[in-house]
Amino acid sequence: MPAVPPESRPDVPALRAALLGWYDVHARPLVWRAIGGARPDPYRVWLSEVMLQQTTTAHAAPYFEAFTARWPTVSDLAAAEDAEVMAAWAGLGYYARARNLLACARAVARAHGGVFPDTEAGLLALPGVGPYTAAAVAAIAFGRPANVVDGNVERVMARLFAVETPLPAAKSELRRLAGTLVAGDRPGDWAQALMDLGATVCRPGRPLCAACPLTAHCAAFASGVPERWPLKAPKPERPRRHGVAWVLLDGQGRVALVRREEKGLLGGMLGLPTSDWGAPAADPAPPAAADWRDAGAVEHVFTHFSLTLSVRAGEGEGDFLWTAPDEARTALPTVFRKALERGLAA
């Protein structure tokens, strides 16, 4: 592989001009972006950034449109029932985000009169708002020169500077490098331009260098093998857990649901009755008397573990939240929706 020169100070004004000029032509038409020079709505910026954590733009867009149609302001969202918001969030995953979303909305409505703070420090003081979200809202909604670094920006920085430290150890270095390019001119457009470049051109695997406005500044491109970056440490094997879910129907064809504990995985969400998730074990006691039958198993991957969920189906009664199957499909998180479909087909 050709040698890559050590980090040198780039021509920042030229680099910024090239990327912002590209963005003016190629910005993605995302549903949460302000159009035609309109001032971005901090509520829409914040909501989109929370939804986009661990979620693709294509998957988040219909949820964003549904949320903003149902709760057009942060005060509207703050006044919503927890169960309504959790049900509307179902399918986006990482459900702690939905709880943090409500906590933040209520703090903005209660302590700030429904108006978001306009600085990074003020935004960071809100519940559930971390450094990335605070920087993104400060830059995009309020024009603050904040250093907005997501996975796309990390990849762009790793290639621009040919960073030899593998991820995730390189994160602080990549953030520092991104900070050297931040300026007071068009900070919101700069943040979004970097993210768009990473998402559409400086892609994982095979970057589209022929379409990139920054090749003249890019050490990875100069090396001839830009796809080598970012370097990544080997991923540890994801542990596997096992559990049982019960799909219980009553005489009216309704399915038994439960409300999960507020704390923990999928906290506060509706779910099927389920055992604990851990090491394989003998069949646990079912939640009600029924002629239970084996309906097979479903697989689901969470951030930190994989789950094999054995499904049992039966008919009976009990103290549950009895729900029509179509309503249950809408309200349940993906893992339970998979198990419900398997149980209903048994």
Side-chain angles (χ1 to χ4, degrees), residues 1-8 157-164 217-229 231:
M1 185 192 76
V4 177
E7 178 190 333
S8 58
M157 293 303 120
R159 288 173 175 160
L160 272 176
F161 295 96
V163 173
E164 288 296 311
H217 308 273
C218 182
F221 177 75
S223 79
V225 283
E227 65 277 5
R228 178 175 179 266
W229 289 271
L231 306 183

Side-chain angles (χ1 to χ4, degrees), residues 99-313:
R99 296 193 293 275
N100 289 335
L101 192 81
L102 268 175
C104 182
R106 288 166 180 166
V108 172
R110 181 180 62 252
H112 299 277
V115 178
F116 278 86
D118 64 359
T119 65
E120 276 190 86
L123 291 160
L124 270 171
L126 296 171
V129 174
Y132 168 76
T133 302
V137 176
I140 298 169
F142 297 112
R144 305 288 188 183
N147 189 20
V148 185
V149 182
D150 69 352
N152 286 315
V153 176
E154 288 179 344
R155 185 165 57 256
V156 173
M157 293 303 120
R159 288 173 175 160
L160 272 176
F161 295 96
V163 173
E164 288 296 311
T165 306
L167 285 167
K171 282 181 176 290
S172 61
E173 184 179 358
L174 298 174
R175 180 175 178 79
R176 177 187 65 79
L177 291 169
T180 67
L181 307 181
V182 173
D185 177 41
R186 300 177 63 185
D189 287 346
W190 175 254
Q192 293 175 102
L194 275 177
M195 290 187 280
D196 279 14
L197 186 74
T200 64
V201 175
C202 196
R203 308 179 306 179
R206 296 183 63 185
L208 303 178
C209 294
C212 180
L214 301 184
T215 51
H217 308 273
C218 182
F221 177 75
S223 79
V225 283
E227 65 277 5
R228 178 175 179 266
W229 289 271
L231 306 183
K232 294 183 180 180
K235 286 187 177 180
E237 185 176 350
R238 184 182 278 115
R240 177 165 296 279
R241 299 182 187 177
H242 298 260
V244 176
W246 290 277
V247 177
L248 179 66
L249 300 179
D250 69 1
Q252 301 176 50
R254 299 177 300 177
V255 61
L257 302 184
V258 296
R259 179 75 63 185
R260 293 177 64 83
E261 295 291 333
E262 288 295 328
K263 302 269 187 185
L265 189 66
L266 307 179
M269 300 292 296
L270 287 173
L272 295 170
T274 181
S275 68
D276 291 337
W277 298 346
D283 274 356
D291 186 13
W292 295 105
R293 55 192 180 277
D294 185 359
V298 296
E299 303 288 334
H300 193 75
V301 178
F302 292 94
T303 307
H304 301 298
F305 67 93
S306 299
L307 175 67
T308 298
L309 199 57
S310 299
V311 181
R312 308 283 187 267

